[in-house]
Amino acid sequence: MSYSYLLFKQIYRSKAVIVATTILFLGVVGLYIVNAIDGSDFRADMQSYLHHDQETLAFYQEELENPHISEENRIMFEEAIIEVEENISWGQHILEAIDQNDFSEALVYFNKMIDRNLDIHKETNGELFPEEAIDQFMMTRNVNNRLIELNAEPDTLHFEKFGATFTYRVMESLFPTLFMLIASLILSEAFFRSFRGGINIDVLLPKKFTSLLMKKLSFMAGVTVAFYFVILVFSFFLASIFNGTGSFHYPIVNNGSPIFETMPLWNVMMKTFILQVLAIFNLVLIVAFAAVLTKNKMATLMIAILITVGFPMTHEFISSLHPFLHLSPFTYFLGGDVATGFLAERFNNGRIDFISGVIVLVVFASIITFILCIHAYMVEKRQLITSKKVGQVGEINTNN
């Protein structure tokens, strides 16, 4: 029986692992249900806008029928009616285009509505909408321009429901929290399966302890990455069954761009996945390091959760650390926010990017690996010395 197969049997037979993986799959299902309920529908939104414009038109027409209306207000309402009637016409065109799955045509008219709001805002010397609303208009318009090229339906930001975009939402939302919690539990359980009475029985096997440790770490990392990949595949098919696959070219806003440039979804997902795989490798090493220090499963689990989940969440509360967060490996555990430039903008630290994340995570993993190898070598050496002493005592007893 190979050592890897032995480790695999130890993992899948654990009730704790079975419960943890079930919770994670249920977490994905729960996230999809929330997105499906709270996320908006493009057609429903456009229908709502049309209904609002129709109510506005009725109000303006009623005001014009007032016999006491001033000449100034009468001119103002007549001009407003022309604009609202055009908005209604655009809204009707949008609904017709959506019903024909011609999202490009629908979004062209939707952008006309946005441009009209921006023009009115300029005419009022920037007093009609707050700055945040103008940013939202500009961001939506840029996303729409790319969707027009793709003839793709818009998805709700943070409540995505199509296969491709929902999979990204799982990567961005569940990985830094639920997945890392579950992975910490599974890895702690797996690592301590070889401990008996606080002693690692791998030391007693007739193979080099250093070699066994490297095999164990590689196996644990490989299994965790494979498990995460299965979660992503499950997420994609779950959302695709109910809402369609969507597009891996869906535009994602680059938060680091002042003009709201967009990036294709596949590019963001690729960078995010690479950072998350490196984060998994670092998590495995952190669990191993904590196990070496504490020799206690619960203490190891708590340390792993504190470091991998707690540290990234507390960064925003310590402003003095923001200029140095590009040097912290735990910053890059939030891979989705790194890939989109969200963390760089939030912490005003442009050095938080994908390349920096790869370098920092690789260096951090290398340091911990080196420490673990040194420790394994010392344990191996002590075991060898102890074996020699036992052998010498045995020879003396035999001679006597």
Side-chain angles (χ1 to χ4, degrees):
M1 182 186 299
S2 68
Y3 184 65
S4 297
Y5 181 67
L6 176 62
L7 291 173
F8 183 74
K9 285 183 63 178
Q10 291 176 341
I11 291 176
Y12 82 77
R13 285 183 175 180
S14 169
K15 292 182 179 179
V17 171
I18 295 173
V19 172
T21 54
T22 302
I23 290 174
L24 186 53
F25 279 103
L26 291 176
V28 173
V29 174
L31 179 63
Y32 175 75
I33 293 174
V34 170
N35 285 14
I37 294 174
D38 293 344
S40 62
D41 177 81
F42 183 47
R43 194 188 193 287
D45 287 344
M46 295 301 102
Q47 182 69 58
S48 176
Y49 293 154
L50 177 60
H51 181 68
H52 177 268
D53 286 335
Q54 290 171 336
E55 288 183 338
T56 302
L57 176 62
F59 171 77
Y60 289 162
Q61 290 173 336
E62 183 179 344
E63 288 297 312
L64 281 178
E65 294 174 359
N66 184 353
H68 304 294
I69 188 173
S70 66
E71 182 64 18
E72 181 182 356
N73 285 343
R74 184 183 65 78
I75 295 173
M76 181 186 69
F77 282 125
E78 287 178 347
E79 292 176 349
I81 284 175
I82 294 174
E83 293 181 353
V84 173
E85 286 179 337
E86 190 170 30
N87 267 355
I88 291 174
S89 175
W90 290 345
Q92 291 170 342
H93 280 300
I94 289 174
L95 293 178
E96 291 172 2
I98 292 174
D99 290 339
Q100 297 171 7
N101 289 324
D102 188 355
F103 296 106
S104 295
E105 182 75 6
L107 290 168
V108 167
Y109 283 105
F110 187 27
N111 275 352
K112 287 183 178 182
M113 291 182 175
I114 294 175
D115 289 340
R116 167 159 285 167
N117 286 332
L118 294 174
D119 290 340
I120 296 175
H121 182 72
K122 289 180 181 178
E123 292 172 2
T124 59
N125 297 318
E127 296 180 356
L128 183 60
F129 299 107
E131 185 177 348
E132 294 79 10
I134 297 301
D135 288 344
Q136 186 65 38
F137 282 143
M138 296 299 296
M139 182 178 70
T140 302
R141 197 185 191 290
N142 285 359
V143 170
N144 287 350
N145 286 338
R146 180 60 182 141
L147 291 175
I148 289 170
E149 298 175 12
L150 299 171
N151 189 34
E153 182 178 355
D155 209 350
T156 310
L157 184 63
H158 301 305
F159 294 95
E160 294 84 355
K161 59 182 181 297
F162 297 115
T165 47
F166 176 71
T167 303
Y168 169 68
R169 180 53 47 200
V170 170
M171 297 175 72
E172 200 273 341
S173 299
L174 293 190
F175 179 86
T177 52
L178 184 60
F179 180 81
M180 293 302 274
L181 284 169
I182 298 300
S184 297
L185 190 153
I186 293 174
L187 291 171
S188 299
E189 182 74 18
F191 200 87
F192 277 91
R193 280 281 163 170
S194 61
F195 277 67
R196 297 292 185 274
I199 299 175
N200 190 349
I201 60 175
D202 284 349
V203 178
L204 307 178
L205 296 177
K207 290 186 178 180
K208 285 190 175 182
F209 181 55
T210 306
S211 175
L212 288 177
L213 177 63
M214 290 300 103
K215 284 184 179 180
K216 190 171 192 175
L217 295 178
S218 299
F219 173 80
M220 291 167 65
V223 167
T224 308
V225 170
F227 176 54
Y228 181 51
F229 184 75
V230 169
I231 290 294
L232 297 183
V233 172
F234 172 74
S235 304
F236 176 75
F237 281 105
L238 173 66
S240 297
I241 289 172
F242 295 100
N243 296 103
T245 60
S247 172
F248 284 102
H249 291 278
Y250 193 93
I252 303 296
V253 174
N254 181 359
N255 292 277
S257 169
I259 57 174
F260 301 107
E261 293 177 332
T262 62
M263 305 172 288
L265 177 62
W266 67 264
N267 182 275
V268 177
M269 292 181 70
M270 179 186 68
K271 291 179 178 179
T272 302
F273 185 72
I274 291 173
L275 291 175
Q276 290 176 341
V277 167
L278 291 174
I280 288 173
F281 276 92
N282 278 272
L283 173 62
V284 171
L285 294 168
I286 289 170
V287 169
F289 185 70
V292 166
L293 289 179
T294 65
K295 294 182 173 59
N296 181 277
K297 182 167 64 177
M298 187 55 65
T300 297
L301 176 60
M302 292 298 102
I303 291 173
I305 292 175
L306 174 65
I307 292 176
T308 59
V309 179
F311 279 12
M313 299 301 173
T314 58
H315 283 163
E316 62 180 296
F317 302 113
I318 309 176
S319 57
S320 59
L321 293 179
H322 292 178
F324 310 102
L325 288 182
H326 62 286
L327 300 175
S328 169
F330 310 111
T331 299
Y332 304 102
F333 281 29
L334 304 172
D337 289 338
V338 173
T340 59
F342 176 76
L343 290 186
E345 180 192 35
R346 185 170 190 173
F347 299 133
N348 193 27
N349 186 342
R351 288 172 290 185
I352 300 176
D353 56 25
F354 171 71
I355 299 299
S356 298
V358 172
I359 294 173
V360 171
L361 288 173
V362 169
V363 170
F364 186 69
S366 300
I367 292 172
I368 300 182
T369 301
F370 177 75
I371 294 173
L372 289 173
C373 286
I374 293 297
H375 174 266
Y377 173 76
M378 293 174 64
V379 170
E380 193 175 290
K381 190 174 180 179
R382 285 199 302 268
Q383 183 67 17
L384 181 61
I385 293 172
T386 302
S387 298
K388 286 183 177 180
K389 288 182 178 180
V390 171
Q392 290 174 356
V393 171
E395 287 181 8
I396 292 173
N397 290 335
T398 302
N399 293 333
N400 289 336

